[in-house]
Amino acid sequence: RSNGRLPPHVYKAADDAYRAMIRGIEMSSAMKRGARARNRAAGQKKDDDFEMPTNQSILVSGESGAGKTVTTKIVLNYFAMLSRKTQEDHGQVPDEGKTSIEQQVLQSNPILEAFGNARTIRNDNSSRFGKYINIAFSGQGQLLRASIDTYLLEKVRLIHQTAGERNFHVFYQFLQAATEDERNEFL
């Protein structure tokens, strides 16, 4: 902060990445149209391949309890909102009976958290894993698909927890949902 700049803000970082991606897509499309017109005028059949950089990355890092999980949720919600707005701007009406890609991405997070988060001394919902989320957008800026790769960081937590800490949430959720007979069988 000594240089007079504020720390990065999650919405600003997400918006900057999204806008840079859209600018890259638009520039690439314009350059391809220009190349096709030049090639037609010159009697060439092959289009020149012009690709503007459209890939963007957002790295969310920090100490335990710093808000990485919440920040990731904010970014995903923001991208989902932008995607829905783009659909509406293009006159597309979402199919009410179908779960959108935005909803699928957002709904997967609790499942990932159940298998990868645990109570630690510093945080009741601490991520004990890393994740790489790859989101693909259409040329109009709509979410097309997403994939999530997870990297379990604390495999030892499965067999041993430090005093005052707990195992992954999924085990407690499983026991909570189990019948009395199932609990007796598993414990």
Side-chain angles (χ1 to χ4, degrees):
R1 291 185 184 203
S2 62
N3 62 5
R5 293 178 49 192
L6 295 173
H9 192 277
V10 62
Y11 286 109
K12 174 85 168 106
D15 192 64
D16 286 350
Y18 184 83
R19 304 284 171 218
M21 176 193 69
I22 295 298
R23 273 191 309 276
I25 290 169
E26 289 170 351
M27 291 292 292
S28 182
S29 179
M31 291 178 78
K32 285 179 182 179
R33 282 192 305 272
R36 280 193 290 270
R38 281 190 309 277
N39 289 344
R40 271 189 299 249
Q44 297 175 349
K45 292 186 179 185
K46 184 183 179 307
D47 287 340
D48 293 333
D49 289 329
F50 288 104
E51 290 294 327
M52 295 296 293
T54 57
N55 294 337
Q56 300 293 313
S57 295
I58 299 173
L59 177 64
V60 180
S61 65
E63 294 181 17
S64 179
K68 296 177 294 293
T69 300
V70 172
T71 299
T72 301
K73 287 180 192 177
I74 290 170
V75 170
L76 291 174
N77 274 307
Y78 187 67
F79 287 157
M81 182 274 305
L82 289 172
S83 181
R84 282 190 301 272
K85 184 174 179 339
T86 301
Q87 274 186 307
E88 291 167 4
D89 290 349
H90 286 89
Q92 297 173 347
V93 180
D95 183 356
E96 296 298 324
K98 183 179 172 191
T99 304
S100 69
I101 187 68
E102 297 93 342
Q103 291 169 321
Q104 291 175 31
V105 170
L106 297 172
Q107 290 171 356
S108 71
N109 213 42
I111 296 166
L112 292 174
E113 286 185 13
F115 281 92
N117 288 19
R119 177 183 293 164
T120 65
I121 294 171
R122 296 181 68 182
N123 186 343
D124 283 346
N125 193 35
S126 183
S127 297
R128 310 319 303 156
F129 68 106
K131 58 185 163 187
Y132 173 78
I133 304 173
N134 185 359
I135 303 173
F137 291 87
S138 72
Q140 291 79 38
Q142 297 170 351
L143 274 166
L144 291 177
R145 65 184 170 278
S147 64
I148 302 173
D149 293 325
T150 59
Y151 306 92
L152 191 57
L153 302 178
E154 283 193 350
K155 293 178 185 174
V156 70
R157 184 170 293 276
L158 292 169
I159 56 171
H160 175 74
Q161 297 86 45
T162 305
E165 296 192 348
R166 290 178 28 160
N167 208 324
F168 296 105
H169 295 329
V170 69
F171 297 117
Y172 302 98
Q173 292 167 346
F174 176 73
L175 288 173
Q176 180 72 30
T179 65
E180 185 68 35
D181 289 340
E182 290 171 331
R183 265 189 236 114
N184 289 334
E185 181 183 341
F186 298 131
L187 296 176

